[in-house]
Amino acid sequence: MMSTAFEYINPEYLDLMTEGDVSTKKVILEMLFEELPAELTKMRDLINSGDWETLWQVSHKMKSTLPFVGNEEMIASNIQIEQKAKAEVAPESIDILLDKLEELCPKALAELREIHQSL
């Protein structure tokens, strides 16, 4: 367990779900490094094209991924995106929520890389 204080992540869920297994933690972190930027890019494309059904599906899938990051603001923004996409309402507010995810993601990933490098 690291004693580092993080600003953008909370590794408790990651630690809990990996039960201290270093190789499992590495696999999950590497998945996050690959998937999160790709999923956010996909979400941006879906917003731009107005494909609310697929946006809802991608956002729904992200609900199980984001707890590993442990950023409550990212989790809350994604939940709101999912709800709005499912209801097909307020595209401008979805855009603002995705802006927040895109702003926080690189910062969170940088801190997750610190954990990865320490393993």
Side-chain angles (χ1 to χ4, degrees), residues 52-105:
W52 307 121
E53 175 67 23
T54 308
L55 176 62
W56 172 80
Q57 292 170 357
V58 172
S59 181
H60 184 74
K61 178 181 170 232
M62 291 268 289
K63 273 198 329 195
S64 62
T65 303
L66 286 173
F68 287 102
V69 177
N71 182 298
E72 292 302 321
E73 196 171 357
M74 290 177 73
I75 291 167
S77 293
N78 184 64
I79 288 169
Q80 290 180 54
I81 289 170
E82 179 190 23
Q83 292 168 345
K84 290 174 186 292
K86 187 170 188 175
E88 298 183 17
V89 296
E92 60 288 338
S93 65
I94 294 175
D95 201 47
I96 292 166
L97 292 164
L98 186 57
D99 287 345
K100 180 54 72 175
L101 282 175
E102 290 171 334
E103 173 194 329
L104 293 172
C105 185

Side-chain angles (χ1 to χ4, degrees), residues 2-98:
M2 299 179 62
S3 60
T4 307
F6 293 107
E7 185 176 352
Y8 296 101
I9 65 168
N10 180 345
E12 287 179 18
Y13 185 77
L14 176 65
D15 293 337
L16 177 70
M17 297 308 287
T18 59
E19 298 178 334
D21 184 87
V22 173
S23 65
T24 302
K25 192 178 283 191
K26 282 183 178 182
V27 166
I28 290 172
L29 287 168
E30 289 162 6
M31 179 266 310
L32 290 172
F33 301 148
E34 186 176 316
E35 274 192 24
L36 280 178
E39 294 297 291
L40 292 181
T41 298
K42 187 186 298 180
M43 290 171 82
R44 176 62 66 196
D45 292 343
L46 293 167
I47 286 172
N48 291 339
S49 69
D51 186 347
W52 307 121
E53 175 67 23
T54 308
L55 176 62
W56 172 80
Q57 292 170 357
V58 172
S59 181
H60 184 74
K61 178 181 170 232
M62 291 268 289
K63 273 198 329 195
S64 62
T65 303
L66 286 173
F68 287 102
V69 177
N71 182 298
E72 292 302 321
E73 196 171 357
M74 290 177 73
I75 291 167
S77 293
N78 184 64
I79 288 169
Q80 290 180 54
I81 289 170
E82 179 190 23
Q83 292 168 345
K84 290 174 186 292
K86 187 170 188 175
E88 298 183 17
V89 296
E92 60 288 338
S93 65
I94 294 175
D95 201 47
I96 292 166
L97 292 164
L98 186 57

